[in-house]
């Protein structure tokens, strides 16, 4: 009996060790680490449309100047917002100030997500014709870092998978050990822009942190939610946090890219 217990223990340890090593070519011994695409705990690729059920007046239309309710602006942020001039922005070619990384996912927009390569997710929006590149660190001892010579509307985005083990049901066997998680994206080096189309500002020093989660419903609908945290020591008294929801579409039939455009307040 003792020998049997010892043998079972040895086999269990051996199996655990082999599982931790992984098969050759998949990040274990004998192969390179898996790519970001191979490690993905969820699939965000495809065509998605924003579903706006809150903050309608701030997202679907251009609010009046000075309408910055729920945004934790400091005194300097309110001063800048109160001086917003749509005509001046248009004359200066600054129509995209409301379409930067800190606000683009709050727009009424469709997004198309694809893998540009095995370490870069590409997020395209039809509103403003913007393209975001979410770059994962390359596997290996010397991860690559993305740089930009000049700040751009979408900035530089560093992505990483946050994995977690989850259980189905009550966790009594069966579905235990299912891998879940979310996508974390940190964006810096942006051009200064607007949190809302009526000139509510964020500065070039802002940092945007996003968490993407996918949800699959029993009726077959697929959704993702992105929680966005904007921190800006220049214009915000505290972080500005929002959640935006997107529903998957069957195809690109309604995809209609349009350049940056802000209509006058109603």
């Amino acid at each position: 009996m003792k020998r049997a217990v010892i043998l079972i223990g040895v086999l269990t340890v051996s199996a655990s060790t082999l599982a931790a090593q992984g098969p050759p070519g998949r990040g274990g011994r004998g192969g390179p680490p898996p790519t970001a695409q191979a490690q993905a705990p969820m699939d965000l690729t495809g065509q998605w449309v924003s579903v706006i059920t809150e903050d309608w007046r701030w997202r679907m239309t251009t609010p009046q100047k000075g309408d910055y309710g729920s945004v934790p602006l400091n005194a300097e942020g309110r001063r800048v917002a109160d001086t917003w001039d749509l005509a001046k922005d248009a004359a200066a070619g600054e129509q995209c100030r409301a379409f930067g990384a800190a606000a683009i996912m709050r727009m009424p927009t469709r997004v198309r997500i694809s893998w540009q390569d095995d370490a870069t997710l590409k997020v395209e929006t039809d509103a403003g014709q913007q393209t975001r590149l979410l770059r994962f660190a390359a596997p290996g001892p010397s991860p690559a870092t993305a740089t930009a010579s000049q700040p751009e509307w979408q900035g530089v985005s560093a992505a990483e998978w946050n994995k977690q083990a989850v259980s189905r049901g009550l966790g009594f066997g069966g579905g235990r050990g299912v891998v879940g998680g979310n996508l974390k994206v940190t964006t810096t080096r942006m051009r200064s822009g607007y949190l809302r189309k009526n000139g509510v500002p964020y500065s070039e020093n802002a940092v945007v942190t996003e968490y993407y989660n996918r949800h699959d419903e029993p009726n077959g609908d697929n959704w993702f939610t992105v929680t966005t945290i904007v921190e800006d020591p220049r214009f915000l008294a505290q972080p500005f946090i929002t959640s935006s929801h997107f529903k998957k579409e069957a195809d690109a039939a309604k995809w209609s890219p349009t350049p940056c455009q802000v209509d006058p307040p109603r």
Side-chain angles (χ1 to χ4, degrees):
M1 184 62 127
K2 290 182 179 179
R3 290 179 181 176
V5 171
I6 293 172
L7 179 58
I8 291 172
V10 170
L11 291 175
T12 302
V13 171
S14 299
S16 300
T17 302
L18 289 173
Q21 292 175 354
R26 297 289 293 178
R29 294 180 181 178
T35 63
Q37 184 175 3
Q39 293 185 72
M42 59 182 174
D43 183 13
L44 289 172
T45 61
Q47 300 282 150
W48 307 82
V49 61
S50 59
V51 178
I52 298 176
T53 57
E54 79 289 316
D55 290 350
W56 179 275
R57 82 169 190 260
W58 294 313
R59 298 175 64 185
M60 293 299 295
T61 65
T62 302
Q64 296 289 330
K65 181 192 296 188
D67 184 359
Y68 36 72
S70 80
V71 182
L73 293 173
N74 58 23
E76 177 64 6
R78 292 191 295 273
R79 184 193 69 78
V80 172
D82 289 338
T83 62
W84 172 65
D85 187 331
L86 176 59
K88 184 177 179 180
D89 282 349
E94 298 285 290
Q95 298 93 327
C96 288
R97 290 180 69 88
F99 295 80
I104 187 63
M105 302 305 282
R106 295 294 283 172
M107 285 283 180
T109 186
R110 285 182 162 82
V111 300
R112 177 165 58 196
I113 303 178
S114 60
W115 285 96
Q116 176 170 280
D117 54 53
D118 58 15
T120 309
L121 269 176
K122 179 167 67 172
V123 181
E124 302 170 87
T125 70
D126 63 358
Q129 296 178 310
Q130 299 297 301
T131 299
R132 304 185 64 192
L133 297 178
L134 314 183
R135 297 180 174 91
F136 293 80
S142 302
T145 55
T147 59
S149 57
Q150 295 293 331
E152 300 177 351
W153 294 122
Q154 302 309 320
V156 175
S157 295
E160 60 180 295
W161 296 117
N162 284 333
K163 294 185 178 181
Q164 61 189 48
V166 297
S167 298
R168 292 176 182 153
L170 296 177
F172 299 115
R176 299 185 69 181
V178 177
V179 175
N182 60 35
L183 171 64
K184 178 182 178 182
V185 179
T186 304
T187 303
T188 57
R189 292 187 57 80
M190 299 170 289
R191 294 178 63 177
S192 59
Y194 297 150
L195 294 170
R196 289 180 180 160
K197 290 181 282 188
N198 63 336
V200 179
Y202 64 88
S203 76
E204 64 280 0
N205 296 321
V207 176
V208 177
T209 306
E210 297 166 294
Y211 295 91
Y212 292 74
N213 290 273
R214 173 168 168 154
H215 320 278
D216 298 324
E217 300 299 327
N219 66 356
D221 289 345
N222 307 124
W223 297 74
F224 78 77
T225 299
V226 54
T227 300
T228 303
I229 305 169
V230 183
E231 298 174 276
D232 183 4
R234 182 175 177 187
F235 293 133
L236 296 178
Q238 63 187 55
F240 178 49
I241 304 173
T242 56
S243 292
S244 307
H245 312 286
F246 291 80
K247 184 178 181 181
K248 195 166 191 178
E249 297 187 301
D251 52 43
K254 297 180 180 179
W255 180 255
S256 180
T258 55
C260 298
Q261 180 178 343
V262 176
D263 297 321
R266 296 182 179 180

